[in-house]
Amino acid sequence: MKIDGRAGLFKGLTPRLCSGAIGTIVHSKVLQHCQEADQVEDPGISPKESSSSLEQVVKETSQEMIARSAATLVTHPFHVITLRCMVQFIGRETKYSGVLSSFVTIYREEGILGFFAGLIPRLLGDILSLWLCNMLAYLINTYALENGVSTMTEMKSYSQAVTGFFASMLTYPFVLVSNLMAINSCGLAGGLPPYAPAYSSWLHCWSQLQGEGNMSRGNSLFFRKVPAGKRYVWEEKRFH
């Protein structure tokens, strides 16, 4: 706020809203199509029937995976623009000032592939998080809370949220790598040395972060952990 005012807190809001709106529409349409196709194959089974069986959980998770992946694929260009609009704060650039002009800039400088920078780790993280969340919720609801107690029904409603939070923590490195690759060598100061290394691929980014002990960077709103490599450098400077 000291540098950009209140408007600075909303950098990247427009492409973010576009991503959310388009993603919601694509997700609902694809999921509806999958469910209708499933009912055509098995017309005798109602949607609520056998909702707690493992087979039904796998089927619903597969449909959700397809819908989420389609939404992510379609909206990823807006995600890239959102991140780059925010990262401009570091170098005080104005390269990405609007949604349409940002599309033109990315296409002119990086081609079609520029719109999908960081897509693979983001997709992998979403898919892994979804399966972890649903499978853990199924195991908890089936084996840990199946006691017939009155409070168990209420507990089951919270299990999905708890497992979702746990799955998001485990898959956070995919989010981090995806975001770093989306701004990697894009011409902004925040995506270039000395602020960020130049990565040749998302696997290179992953291995370098892992080697630095930096895979959980930025996963907390209130605490920051000094990476192992930088901690040693800081200690040497302090003692000398």
Side-chain angles (χ1 to χ4, degrees):
M1 288 182 64
K2 289 180 180 178
I3 297 174
D4 289 338
R6 289 186 179 87
L9 301 175
F10 299 93
K11 295 289 185 180
L13 177 62
T14 302
R16 173 64 176 162
L17 290 175
C18 293
S19 175
I22 296 172
T24 300
I25 295 171
V26 173
H27 178 274
S28 61
K29 293 294 184 182
V30 173
L31 186 60
Q32 181 182 0
H33 178 75
C34 291
Q35 291 172 345
E36 289 174 353
D38 184 52
Q39 285 192 351
V40 170
E41 293 179 3
D42 300 309
I45 300 178
S46 64
K48 296 183 180 180
E49 203 171 302
S50 303
S51 59
S52 61
S53 69
L54 178 60
E55 183 181 355
Q56 185 68 17
V57 171
V58 170
K59 182 181 294 185
E60 290 176 356
T61 304
S62 300
Q63 293 173 348
E64 179 69 16
M65 178 185 68
I66 295 171
R68 282 197 192 183
S69 298
T72 299
L73 185 65
V74 172
T75 61
H76 193 73
F78 294 97
H79 179 69
V80 171
I81 294 172
T82 299
L83 292 173
R84 295 185 180 184
C85 286
M86 292 188 288
V87 167
Q88 286 183 138
F89 176 82
I90 296 173
R92 312 305 301 152
E93 297 108 336
T94 57
K95 188 176 180 179
Y96 298 93
S97 55
V99 177
L100 293 178
S101 62
S102 297
F103 270 97
V104 173
T105 299
I106 293 174
Y107 182 75
R108 184 177 63 246
E109 295 184 358
E110 303 170 60
I112 295 295
L113 293 180
F115 296 113
F116 301 99
L119 175 64
I120 295 177
R122 188 182 177 201
L123 272 178
L124 291 176
D126 284 347
I127 292 171
L128 185 58
S129 177
L130 175 64
W131 280 98
L132 277 174
C133 176
N134 288 3
M135 290 297 104
L136 284 174
Y138 167 76
L139 292 174
I140 292 173
N141 293 339
T142 303
Y143 299 105
L145 301 180
E146 198 68 38
N147 295 326
V149 185
S150 58
T151 57
M152 289 304 162
T153 303
E154 185 178 353
M155 290 294 291
K156 286 182 179 181
S157 65
Y158 295 114
S159 63
Q160 195 80 14
V162 173
T163 55
F165 176 74
F166 180 69
S168 66
M169 286 180 59
L170 290 178
T171 57
Y172 177 78
F174 290 95
V175 177
L176 175 60
V177 171
S178 174
N179 290 345
L180 289 175
M181 291 306 298
I183 64 169
N184 180 58
S185 300
C186 65
L188 298 177
L192 295 168
Y195 295 104
Y199 302 110
S200 58
S201 68
W202 74 270
L203 292 173
H204 176 218
C205 178
W206 183 290
S207 63
Q208 187 158 331
L209 289 173
Q210 195 171 40
E212 296 171 351
N214 216 5
M215 295 300 288
S216 60
R217 183 179 113 189
N219 68 341
S220 173
L221 288 173
F222 306 104
F223 303 100
R224 295 187 67 185
K225 179 183 176 183
V226 180
K230 292 186 179 180
R231 187 184 304 120
Y232 299 143
V233 173
W234 179 78
E235 287 177 351
E236 286 179 4
K237 289 182 179 179
R238 184 181 64 172
F239 288 117
H240 290 291

